[in-house]
Amino acid sequence: MTSSHLAHISDRGQTQTVLEHLRGTASLAQTFARPFGGEGQAELTGLAHDIGKYSQRFQRRLQGDSARVDHSTAGAVECWRRNQPFAAFAVAGHHGGLPDGGSQTDNSDQATLLGRMNRAGSLEPYGDWEQELSLPQAAWPDFLRRGPGPEMVFFTRMLYSCLVDADFLDTEAFMVGQGRERNETSIAELWDRLQREISDWFPPRGELNRQRCQILERCIREGERRSPGLFSLTVPTGGGKTVASLVFALAHAKGHGLRRVIYVIPYTSIIEQTAEVFRKLLGGEHVLEHHSGVLYDLEGEASPHTIRLARATENWDMPVVVTTAVQFFQSLYACRSSQCRKLHNIAGSVVVFDEAQMLPIPYLRPCVWAISQLVAHYGVSAVLCTATQPALGPIFREFLPRTPVQELCPSDVFRWDVFRRAAFRQEGKLSWDGLAERLNAHSQALCIVNTRKAAQEIYRRLDGAGSFHLSTLMCPSHRKEQLGEIRRRLREGLPCRVVSTSLIEAGVDVDFPTVFREIAGLDSILQAAGRCNREGRRPAAESVVHIFEGEEKAPPLFATAIGAGRAVLSRYADIASPEAVHAYFSELLDLKGQEAQDREGILPLMRSEFFPFRTVAERFHLIDSHTRTVYIPWGAGVELIERLRAGEGGRALFRRLGQYEVSVYERHFAALEAVGDLEVLENGAAILRSPALYAETTGLSLEADSGKAEFI
């Protein structure tokens, strides 16, 4: 008998029954959950999620009735009655997002899960579903049988991901008349391509390349030999860790049947560079770059390749994904379907955390716990990849007591001294005038300071010809243009003196003969050293990193890192040694303490009896948003801002505008607004009204007409 209950009607007038949609969603969800053994739970959620559509009220709405219908609660009620809380949460949230669990006293008006369970008696009758299907009794995975705990919260998010992605894909396939075209390239094919691309590197020419190739060969062997687990890859700056980690990841995925490689990077300044390297090695059609600064243009005649990449940002269905730590971890702690769709595709993958030392300390324990969950229960091999390995071992031992961190490339594999390209010299206190005099004496030099204000102050004292300023007071498009000119002058041997904030430190490919670094955490000092004699063309003794104290008191944000850095600088003659680096990170974590490593209390919150999905999502923000965005009418930003003024909106426009924005602190924003230097639109977007306040050399001025604003 053909069902008369419909789930969807397409623009072409075709119909999909509820039963067809439930079965299609359940089948996809089962497939998605297979890498972590959640097939039974996923089948249940897929079959239950839309049984509320069997109500006559929903059927009338589908035919044009305007009455609102809650069709999600019915399936959640059926799962709850069967002692299936994970499925109940996933079904309840498949449109509006995962709810908090709430308490037994919550009334039916409240949006918590228990509030909605108390709504069961007032739901529109939907019992016709029992004539067409039955719900299976789904077993819980063994690791969840220990009772309530954060593992259950994590599993529910992964289950939710399977459901919402399956629901969306089944609906989309029906509405457009076909399923998505998938990238069917296998990990084995990518591995073969990578081997061909790097074959010219062997045999290596020169001692530096010989050491790099030894690291590569070790990563190939370890990738094939090691069972999935938790790894570290500690390679000095210049050792080729980006390619080495990709080599390990693909060799490991190929050898152990893992599905994809996900590369997690702290900053967009590094991610674009890394993604471009991967595209050259593997082909652009196999690499998804996903972060706030990338836009896949779907306007006009978009190519099938662009459409495929744009769609893949929704669920990471690509063999290689390059993304940010913000995107990765905030998705793992999110409650909305748009953020959670991708989570199930992390399972059964190799996840490389590049520059792992940059995991933010206020969220360090929740981040390490999430990595531990992925390794313990979701078939993930995690690689902590950095030149300055943080002392995370004790935290991982707490969360993964039976899974040691395995170093892929011990120091005896290569010669550390070959990669030593700079010497360090402590200079004591320098005034801005004295520092500028030292910089002006060099034809090419880089100076890195802790605040944007200091960068502008020093830049004003530099000789004009060949002097540059870089900071986040310049919009991203402007910074890229400046970096291009800086690299050109360095290559051609022209005068090039640069003063920058720390944005230039992590992975930005520049090579200066000398570097000045204001006192900071040891990791920042060593990252700065990576910009000195980067290509090893000069003797290390003649390539000096000068460590100094500036005129300003260090911002409170940096005080603990600077304190730990000072302690190590005073104790170790060789501050770049692995022993000094380990001592620094141990000191830093000790100074912060456990409470500071989970500032928002995320992990204790998840141990509560009723799962606080929405509350956790609201608290977990890797980047504290104490700033406001100002759009700058510079370059192509002028035309984009006119479109914004004309009332145009949408994600595509705002992503493009991201290349022309500057983030300022509230005080600076208020000072600019008070004297009329900002135009604030009805949608809240702020545009710089006074072009004179944005300089080609230094970006947005620290001075509004009313005086100087205070911010770092």
Side-chain angles (χ1 to χ4, degrees):
M1 183 179 74
T2 303
S3 174
S4 61
H5 297 88
L6 302 181
H8 303 110
I9 301 174
S10 73
D11 293 338
R12 308 180 309 279
Q14 294 180 309
T15 59
Q16 182 187 41
T17 68
V18 180
L19 184 60
E20 288 169 338
H21 176 55
L22 295 182
R23 286 176 172 168
T25 301
S27 177
L28 283 172
Q30 275 186 294
T31 301
F32 297 158
R34 192 162 291 129
F36 57 91
E39 302 99 310
Q41 290 283 319
E43 181 190 21
L44 171 62
T45 60
L47 290 174
H49 80 286
D50 268 358
I51 62 176
K53 290 186 175 181
Y54 279 94
S55 74
Q56 289 304 308
R57 190 172 184 181
F58 179 84
Q59 294 301 307
R60 290 195 298 272
R61 177 175 174 79
L62 202 57
Q63 299 296 337
D65 192 321
S66 61
R68 185 178 177 276
V69 183
D70 170 10
H71 72 268
S72 301
T73 299
V77 167
E78 296 301 329
C79 292
W80 188 259
R81 287 171 176 167
R82 288 162 174 77
N83 192 31
Q84 299 288 352
F86 317 123
F89 271 103
V91 171
H94 78 272
H95 281 298
L98 286 165
D100 280 348
S103 69
Q104 298 286 358
T105 59
D106 289 355
N107 62 50
S108 60
D109 293 331
Q110 292 179 272
T112 63
L113 182 72
L114 288 174
R116 291 173 68 174
M117 294 306 95
N118 290 331
R119 202 182 296 169
S122 61
L123 293 174
E124 286 290 313
Y126 58 89
D128 287 355
W129 72 273
E130 293 178 296
Q131 299 172 24
E132 296 193 337
L133 78 155
S134 59
L135 298 181
Q137 275 299 322
W140 293 14
D142 290 341
F143 70 90
L144 298 179
R145 295 183 180 279
R146 292 190 293 270
E151 292 84 0
M152 290 184 168
V153 179
F154 199 94
F155 175 81
T156 304
R157 272 202 189 84
M158 296 297 279
L159 180 66
Y160 177 64
S161 171
C162 296
L163 172 62
V164 293
D165 195 28
D167 183 23
F168 189 95
L169 291 174
D170 184 78
T171 302
E172 179 187 74
F174 165 72
M175 289 297 190
V176 302
Q178 62 180 20
R180 287 189 177 185
E181 181 183 348
R182 300 186 66 238
N183 186 313
E184 300 292 350
T185 305
S186 69
I187 290 292
E189 290 173 291
L190 291 183
W191 171 243
D192 290 342
R193 175 165 180 158
L194 179 61
Q195 284 189 303
R196 290 194 298 273
E197 290 292 326
I198 66 175
S199 62
D200 290 344
W201 302 1
F202 299 88
R205 292 170 289 279
E207 183 59 22
L208 181 61
N209 284 327
R210 193 172 77 82
Q211 296 297 320
R212 287 171 174 162
C213 286
Q214 284 186 198
I215 293 169
L216 277 179
E217 289 173 330
R218 170 77 179 208
C219 286
I220 292 171
R221 289 197 303 272
E222 295 300 283
E224 295 168 342
R225 182 177 74 86
R226 303 268 189 168
S227 298
L230 179 62
F231 306 97
S232 59
L233 177 60
T234 309
V235 175
T237 300
K241 66 181 172 62
T242 299
V243 177
S245 57
L246 178 65
V247 163
F248 168 81
L250 283 176
H252 189 67
K254 174 179 174 288
H256 299 283
L258 302 181
R259 304 183 298 164
R260 60 181 47 81
V261 173
I262 300 172
Y263 216 85
V264 181
I265 298 177
Y267 293 140
T268 53
S269 60
I270 315 172
I271 196 173
E272 293 163 354
Q273 193 170 283
T274 302
E276 186 57 32
V277 170
F278 289 0
R279 281 191 285 264
K280 287 178 180 176
L281 291 172
L282 304 175
E285 67 274 20
H286 307 308
V287 178
L288 172 67
E289 182 183 353
H290 185 202
H291 57 89
S292 60
V294 69
L295 174 70
Y296 297 105
D297 191 355
L298 298 180
E299 295 181 1
E301 294 293 322
S303 69
H305 170 58
T306 301
I307 293 171
R308 209 161 38 241
L309 288 173
R311 287 177 170 174
T313 62
E314 300 167 354
N315 65 357
W316 286 1
D317 187 14
M318 287 283 283
V320 178
V321 178
V322 186
T323 191
T324 59
V326 171
Q327 180 77 239
F328 185 85
F329 287 109
Q330 289 195 181
S331 295
L332 284 171
Y333 284 99
C335 67
R336 298 291 182 187
S337 60
S338 58
Q339 293 173 283
C340 292
R341 274 185 66 183
K342 64 180 80 74
L343 298 186
H344 69 87
N345 275 326
I346 299 174
S349 300
V350 184
V351 184
V352 179
F353 297 93
D354 191 30
E355 304 295 350
Q357 80 282 356
M358 301 182 81
L359 289 175
I361 287 180
Y363 297 93
L364 184 60
R365 288 177 65 80
C367 288
V368 171
W369 181 82
I371 297 170
S372 301
Q373 285 295 298
L374 291 170
V375 170
H377 304 303
Y378 298 91
V380 165
S381 279
V383 184
L384 307 173
C385 178
T386 173
T388 53
Q389 198 65 246
L392 298 179
I395 308 177
F396 274 111
R397 282 195 295 274
E398 178 185 344
F399 296 141
L400 281 175
R402 291 182 292 278
T403 306
V405 182
Q406 305 169 71
E407 174 57 50
L408 297 173
C409 207
S411 56
D412 60 359
V413 171
F414 55 88
R415 289 173 48 200
W416 276 85
D417 60 296
V418 172
F419 296 101
R420 189 178 297 279
R421 301 180 211 158
F424 295 89
R425 187 178 300 160
Q426 297 189 53
E427 302 285 1
K429 189 153 190 169
L430 291 176
S431 68
W432 295 152
D433 287 335
L435 176 60
E437 186 177 345
R438 297 274 297 269
L439 293 170
N440 285 327
H442 292 273
S443 174
Q444 294 185 340
L446 169 65
C447 176
I448 303 174
V449 291
N450 291 332
T451 71
R452 301 188 290 188
K453 180 180 176 184
Q456 289 196 353
E457 290 286 347
I458 297 161
Y459 174 77
R460 291 191 185 103
R461 292 165 167 81
L462 296 182
D463 292 343
S467 296
F468 297 89
H469 162 280
L470 287 171
S471 83
T472 52
L473 287 171
M474 304 162 75
C475 64
S477 181
H478 191 180
R479 293 201 304 268
K480 285 181 189 175
E481 184 179 284
Q482 287 281 70
L483 271 169
E485 176 62 11
I486 289 166
R487 289 183 176 119
R488 184 188 71 81
R489 296 181 75 90
L490 290 172
R491 282 195 308 270
E492 297 177 7
L494 300 173
C496 187
R497 292 171 294 277
V498 178
V499 59
S500 175
T501 56
S502 61
L503 67 86
I504 202 171
E505 284 177 350
V508 179
D509 188 7
V510 289
D511 183 2
F512 286 85
T514 191
V515 170
F516 288 75
R517 185 37 165 121
E518 188 176 9
I519 186 74
L522 183 63
D523 53 337
S524 292
I525 293 171
L526 296 180
Q527 289 287 342
R531 311 316 118 200
C532 184
N533 193 24
R534 185 172 180 83
E535 299 304 322
R537 298 190 183 101
R538 297 170 290 274
E542 298 174 14
S543 307
V544 180
V545 177
H546 305 268
I547 305 166
F548 68 92
E549 291 198 43
E551 283 188 8
E552 294 179 347
K553 184 180 178 181
L557 180 66
F558 305 143
T560 306
I562 290 172
R566 276 203 179 100
V568 172
L569 287 171
S570 67
R571 295 204 310 266
Y572 289 85
D574 181 5
I575 64 171
S577 68
E579 295 78 16
V581 171
H582 187 273
Y584 166 73
F585 280 108
S586 296
E587 178 93 8
L588 183 62
L589 295 184
D590 285 346
L591 287 173
K592 286 289 187 180
Q594 276 201 19
E595 187 174 334
Q597 295 164 28
D598 185 4
R599 188 182 62 194
E600 299 297 325
I602 301 296
L603 295 182
L605 190 60
M606 292 199 301
R607 293 189 187 101
S608 61
E609 186 176 354
F610 293 105
F611 304 174
F613 291 106
R614 199 149 295 196
T615 304
V616 166
E618 289 167 356
R619 289 192 188 183
F620 190 91
H621 294 286
L622 283 195
I623 298 177
D624 289 330
S625 184
H626 300 309
T627 59
R628 302 280 297 274
T629 295
V630 175
Y631 294 112
I632 308 297
W634 184 89
V638 174
E639 187 266 333
L640 295 173
I641 285 171
E642 285 306 313
R643 289 167 59 182
L644 186 64
R645 282 194 177 109
E648 187 177 335
R651 284 193 299 176
L653 177 61
F654 280 102
R655 282 196 174 179
R656 283 193 176 87
L657 280 166
Q659 290 295 307
Y660 302 94
E661 69 180 28
V662 169
S663 295
V664 300
Y665 288 88
E666 288 282 359
R667 258 184 169 172
H668 190 209
F669 188 95
L672 291 169
E673 188 177 25
V675 295
D677 288 332
L678 295 182
E679 175 187 357
V680 181
L681 304 181
E682 286 185 9
N683 63 7
I687 300 165
L688 184 67
R689 193 194 295 272
S690 306
L693 288 177
Y694 190 84
E696 283 291 324
T697 51
T698 56
L700 185 62
S701 173
L702 292 176
E703 298 179 6
D705 289 344
S706 60
K708 190 168 287 188
E710 294 180 30
F711 70 101
I712 63 171

